Amino acid sequence: MIETPLQFLIDTVDLLHSACHDEDVQSQFDRAKDSIAHMAPEILHRGWDKIYWICKDQLNDGSNPRHKACFAIYTERYGTFKQLLLKQEANT
């Protein structure tokens, strides 16, 4: 269970950072994490855009097992995030 959407996004970036061993991409994830950490709650969903663009531009080799692992992390976490937000909205 996630504590907050912000923490969920930060944890997602950390998972991607760990799965990718390219230092340049890791530094992009570090910058994205810093940016996400400073986002206002009402635009926090835009953090997924930052993560998406890094993955799209840097982790797009379907034959690379690390890229595949990052894709799996992104896909699973994004789906979970959407479900949890919809649940939160339904409860308000």
Side-chain angles (χ1 to χ4, degrees), residues 56-88:
K56 179 189 169 295
D57 292 342
Q58 303 296 327
L59 303 170
N60 54 21
D61 181 356
S63 64
N64 184 321
R66 293 193 180 167
H67 291 204
K68 283 181 169 180
C70 289
F71 177 74
I73 291 167
Y74 178 89
T75 303
E76 186 269 327
R77 303 280 294 181
Y78 183 69
T80 301
F81 186 83
K82 283 177 54 176
Q83 289 175 342
L84 291 170
L85 281 183
L86 289 173
K87 235 185 238 184
Q88 285 179 352

Side-chain angles (χ1 to χ4, degrees), residues 1-9 41-42 44-45 80-92:
M1 183 50 71
I2 64 171
E3 292 179 19
T4 65
L6 172 61
Q7 188 60 53
F8 191 81
L9 271 170
E42 60 271 11
L44 194 56
H45 63 280
T80 301
F81 186 83
K82 283 177 54 176
Q83 289 175 342
L84 291 170
L85 281 183
L86 289 173
K87 235 185 238 184
Q88 285 179 352
E89 289 175 1
N91 290 335
T92 55

Side-chain angles (χ1 to χ4, degrees), residues 3-66:
E3 292 179 19
T4 65
L6 172 61
Q7 188 60 53
F8 191 81
L9 271 170
I10 296 295
D11 291 346
T12 300
V13 174
D14 287 341
L15 287 170
L16 290 165
H17 186 281
S18 295
C20 172
H21 294 142
D22 181 314
E23 289 181 17
D24 291 332
V25 178
Q26 287 178 328
S27 70
Q28 288 180 37
F29 280 130
D30 289 337
R31 287 191 300 274
K33 183 174 155 179
D34 184 56
S35 177
I36 291 167
H38 291 93
M39 284 184 169
E42 60 271 11
I43 63 164
L44 194 56
H45 63 280
R46 292 185 187 166
W48 287 104
D49 294 340
K50 292 185 176 300
I51 298 169
Y52 170 80
W53 286 109
I54 295 169
C55 293
K56 179 189 169 295
D57 292 342
Q58 303 296 327
L59 303 170
N60 54 21
D61 181 356
S63 64
N64 184 321
R66 293 193 180 167

